[in-house]
Amino acid sequence: QQQVKQSPQSLIVQKGGISIINCAYENTAFDYFPWYQQFPGKGPALLIAIRPDVSEKKEGRFTISFNKSAKQFSLHIMDSQPGDSATYFCAASMSSSASKIIFGSGTRLSIRP
Amino acid sequence: DTGVSQDPRHKITKRGQNVTFRCDPISEHNRLYWYRQTLGQGPEFLTYFQNEAQLEKSRLLSDRFSAERPKGSFSTLEIQRTEQGDSAMYLCASSLSGSSETQYFGPGTRLLVL
């Protein structure tokens, strides 16, 4: 059962452009939505996270937009740089289940110089 | 380095052999998680500990898998009678209960079963 659906599977963006990755979830009990960045051969690293009581969170070039009624959230990377080339995972968890993380399937992002 | 560490980073074994992986969490973290990640997929939850107690196990964790955290610090994950389908990256993460739900991941142990 795929509880967090992520798209697209891969994405190519020109340097300086905006990268957008979308996710949808099914379980309304989720109350924490992190995004992880993973480079080849490394473990995932937390990039930015949001709770459903806010519609947007921005940290530097990274912004999460959250639509609770649609059960959707997205990651926007502004002024995308070659160093942003990595795999990005959206995820969700529930405080009531010790925050076991449910990950999306990932988006492989490539930034063209 | 005070992050999550895992050992070994790579393991190649033959089908039917037993393997054991170790995870050292961030020192003050009382929760420890194991995940498995296959190529092109997101990590999948296997099990988690709060201190030394194993509180949840996924259906993915067959009887050949066992995890321990004997003193509430480091943890081991053992796979008995390995199968080719066990080939994956095994990730460990830790967090502090009562704080944000941020889980910090280690670099993983990549297992290849021949």
Side-chain angles (χ1 to χ4, degrees), chain A residues 38-44, chain B residues 1 4-12 20-24 34 37 88-92 105-112:
Chain A
Q38 186 175 31
F39 292 102
K42 305 291 185 183
Chain B
D1 189 343
V4 178
S5 61
Q6 292 186 245
D7 184 71
R9 295 292 310 279
H10 304 273
K11 179 70 177 179
I12 300 175
T20 300
F21 310 140
R22 176 181 171 123
C23 171
D24 286 272
W34 284 99
Q37 184 178 24
M89 173 82 89
Y90 290 85
L91 293 162
C92 176
F105 282 80
T109 294
R110 182 168 295 283
L111 172 67
L112 177 61

Side-chain angles (χ1 to χ4, degrees), chain A residues 87-104:
Chain A
T87 299
Y88 292 81
F89 294 97
C90 62
S93 67
M94 289 179 276
S95 302
S96 60
S97 67
S99 306
K100 171 181 68 179
I101 295 177
I102 308 299
F103 284 86

Side-chain angles (χ1 to χ4, degrees), chain A residues 32 36 46 49 51 99 101, chain B residues 29 33 94-96 99-104:
Chain A
Y32 180 68
Y36 280 83
L46 179 68
R51 294 191 181 278
S99 306
I101 295 177
Chain B
H29 286 183
Y33 303 78
S94 69
S95 71
L96 183 63
S99 69
S100 71
E101 282 76 10
T102 301
Q103 292 184 22
Y104 296 88

